[in-house]
Amino acid sequence: MKLLEEKISNVGQVIGTDILKVDMFLNHQLDVALLDEMGKEFHRLFSHKSINKILTVESSGIAIAVMAAKYFNVPVVFAKKANHKNVGTELYTVKSYSFTHGKEYTMAVSKKYLSSEDNVLIIDDFLAGGNASFALLDIINQSGAKLEGIGIAIEKGFQDGGKKLRDMGIDLKSLAIVESMDEVKGITFRNDC
Amino acid sequence: MKLLEEKISNVGQVIGTDILKVDMFLNHQLDVALLDEMGKEFHRLFSHKSINKILTVESSGIAIAVMAAKYFNVPVVFAKKANHKNVGTELYTVKSYSFTHGKEYTMAVSKKYLSSEDNVLIIDDFLAGGNASFALLDIINQSGAKLEGIGIAIEKGFQDGGKKLRDMGIDLKSLAIVESMDEVKGITFRNDC
């Protein structure tokens, strides 16, 4: 998605060869007009699927998921990473590991909001090694819901999460795939979408 | 806001006289069409103010704030409750206490995204004792930004946060104010908006 690639190139901040900071428009401050265009693009990419629910994970996935959901006209369910005591005791849970925060956490979704009746699109802000996506897949499997696809804002193409998911036959679409990045040479995108 | 009051009455779950569970449309599963209407209503209520930024706090505030921001055509900044190591070291921080989760936490906003240039509308999902609002006010004061108002989805009118904020002269608007609630008698709303 040209608009997102340009935004990443113009204001994203590369630290070393691995860290891409986009907190100025995606992770802390939110460029809502851009998020709206991203939501529209996710709908264009997956509109041929019969999706009745969008699943994401707090916090950074919520804004994009909601914007997409508006075009699909379906509800969003966001998995809780912490403080999920107040969503009840009937939960699907899975342990995952966050490299960003260097710690293990438990992801949870209430059984009330995901079941074998659901056709689910996962939406998230980042895909690198794929830990968050695999945790969400685990929850979908526990629920018996059908996975229709995964939509990612920014994929780090030089890490293996995307390859693993595509090799499983999953319909994964990323709006921007960073092929390589470097503080001096800048960012190169893969021409995939 | 009639639509929100009806939703709360129809699907919200009262536990005892103090807990109102709305995780089926606001805190875990998100009714995006309703959120869109709420965003539109916040814009109607505050459109006479010159607002250039919406401030909320992760996670439940994000979806409502983004929907409102779409109508104001301004960015959202969401305060981080945890894991704010990755937003840099130049932060406004404040300690707050969550009654829902029974623990103290540090709320943080990067200094890059809030300054004396900003005219801010706070948006949040719940107002009870007001702890989260007072923490956000503290951050706004640290930044030198101007507070234009506070928009709340659901206010528990029988707790004192709303009164305290209104007594300070703050332009606080809540889309639904729960006057009293009871597992048997149900929910009574204050006729304020």
Side-chain angles (χ1 to χ4, degrees):
Chain A
M1 187 191 180
K2 213 67 206 161
L3 198 66
L4 178 59
E5 291 182 357
E6 283 170 9
K7 187 82 176 188
I8 297 168
S9 295
N10 291 340
V11 303
Q13 204 186 338
V14 178
I15 299 171
T17 53
D18 191 46
I19 298 171
L20 175 61
K21 283 179 74 68
V22 289
D23 54 306
M24 62 296 285
F25 68 92
L26 196 64
N27 294 140
H28 186 20
Q29 180 168 253
L30 305 172
D31 179 337
V32 177
L34 176 62
L35 291 180
D36 197 6
E37 289 299 323
M38 290 163 63
K40 198 186 292 179
E41 179 68 3
F42 280 128
H43 183 251
R44 192 185 68 78
L45 292 169
F46 292 102
S47 57
H48 59 291
K49 301 280 181 92
S50 59
I51 288 158
N52 76 323
K53 199 160 277 181
I54 290 178
L55 180 66
T56 188
V57 54
E58 63 180 355
S59 291
S60 304
I62 295 174
I64 313 171
V66 164
M67 280 305 190
K70 201 166 48 74
Y71 290 98
F72 286 94
N73 200 20
V74 301
V76 167
V77 174
F78 65 88
K80 305 253 178 177
K81 280 184 185 168
N83 297 328
H84 40 71
K85 276 165 275 178
N86 63 334
V87 291
T89 51
E90 291 294 302
L91 302 170
Y92 309 113
T93 62
V94 57
K95 283 196 193 308
S96 188
Y97 183 83
S98 165
F99 284 96
T100 313
H101 305 119
K103 64 177 182 186
E104 198 180 59
Y105 63 97
T106 299
M107 197 185 276
V109 170
S110 166
K111 292 187 179 179
K112 283 188 279 187
Y113 309 125
L114 204 63
S115 76
S116 58
E117 314 267 288
D118 290 318
N119 301 309
V120 179
L121 174 64
I122 290 176
I123 286 196
D124 208 355
D125 59 338
F126 262 99
L127 171 64
N131 274 10
S133 291
F134 283 107
L136 289 171
L137 285 182
D138 190 306
I139 281 173
I140 287 176
N141 286 339
Q142 289 177 49
S143 75
K146 186 180 170 209
L147 177 73
E148 294 289 349
I150 302 181
I152 298 289
I154 304 174
E155 177 181 341
K156 289 178 171 172
F158 53 88
Q159 288 191 238
D160 64 353
K163 183 176 179 339
K164 279 186 199 165
L165 292 165
R166 290 186 182 94
D167 285 351
M168 288 165 69
I170 290 170
D171 186 7
L172 165 66
K173 300 274 197 329
S174 300
L175 301 187
I177 304 181
V178 176
E179 196 62 87
S180 66
M181 56 189 203
D182 183 286
E183 283 184 37
V184 181
K185 292 182 223 156
I187 299 168
T188 314
F189 294 99
R190 191 186 300 171
N191 289 322
D192 237 36
C193 30
Chain B
M1 186 190 180
K2 213 67 206 161
L3 198 66
L4 177 59
E5 291 182 358
E6 283 170 9
K7 186 81 176 188
I8 296 167
S9 295
N10 293 339
V11 302
Q13 204 185 338
V14 178
I15 300 172
T17 54
D18 192 45
I19 297 172
L20 175 60
K21 285 180 74 67
V22 289
D23 55 305
M24 63 296 285
F25 69 93
L26 196 65
N27 294 141
H28 185 23
Q29 180 168 255
L30 304 172
D31 179 337
V32 177
L34 176 63
L35 291 180
D36 197 6
E37 290 300 321
M38 291 163 64
K40 198 186 289 178
E41 179 68 4
F42 280 128
H43 182 251
R44 193 185 67 78
L45 292 168
F46 291 103
S47 57
H48 58 291
K49 301 280 181 90
S50 59
I51 287 156
N52 76 323
K53 200 161 276 182
I54 291 179
L55 180 66
T56 188
V57 55
E58 63 181 357
S59 290
S60 305
I62 295 175
I64 313 171
V66 164
M67 280 305 190
K70 200 166 49 74
Y71 291 98
F72 285 93
N73 200 21
V74 301
V76 168
V77 174
F78 64 89
K80 305 251 179 178
K81 280 185 185 169
N83 298 327
H84 40 70
K85 276 166 276 177
N86 64 334
V87 291
T89 51
E90 292 293 304
L91 302 171
Y92 309 114
T93 62
V94 59
K95 283 198 194 306
S96 188
Y97 183 84
S98 165
F99 285 95
T100 313
H101 304 119
K103 62 177 184 187
E104 199 181 58
Y105 63 96
T106 300
M107 198 187 277
V109 169
S110 167
K111 292 188 178 177
K112 283 188 278 186
Y113 309 126
L114 205 63
S115 76
S116 58
E117 315 266 290
D118 290 318
N119 301 309
V120 178
L121 174 64
I122 290 175
I123 286 195
D124 208 357
D125 58 338
F126 262 98
L127 171 64
N131 273 10
S133 291
F134 283 107
L136 289 171
L137 286 182
D138 190 306
I139 281 174
I140 287 176
N141 286 339
Q142 290 178 47
S143 74
K146 186 179 171 213
L147 177 73
E148 294 289 349
I150 301 181
I152 297 289
I154 305 173
E155 177 180 342
K156 288 179 173 173
F158 52 89
Q159 288 191 237
D160 63 354
K163 182 175 180 344
K164 280 187 198 164
L165 292 165
R166 290 186 183 92
D167 285 351
M168 290 166 69
I170 289 170
D171 186 8
L172 164 66
K173 300 275 198 329
S174 300
L175 301 187
I177 303 181
V178 177
E179 195 63 89
S180 66
M181 55 189 203
D182 183 285
E183 284 184 37
V184 181
K185 293 183 223 156
I187 300 169
T188 314
F189 294 98
R190 191 186 300 171
N191 289 323
D192 238 37
C193 31

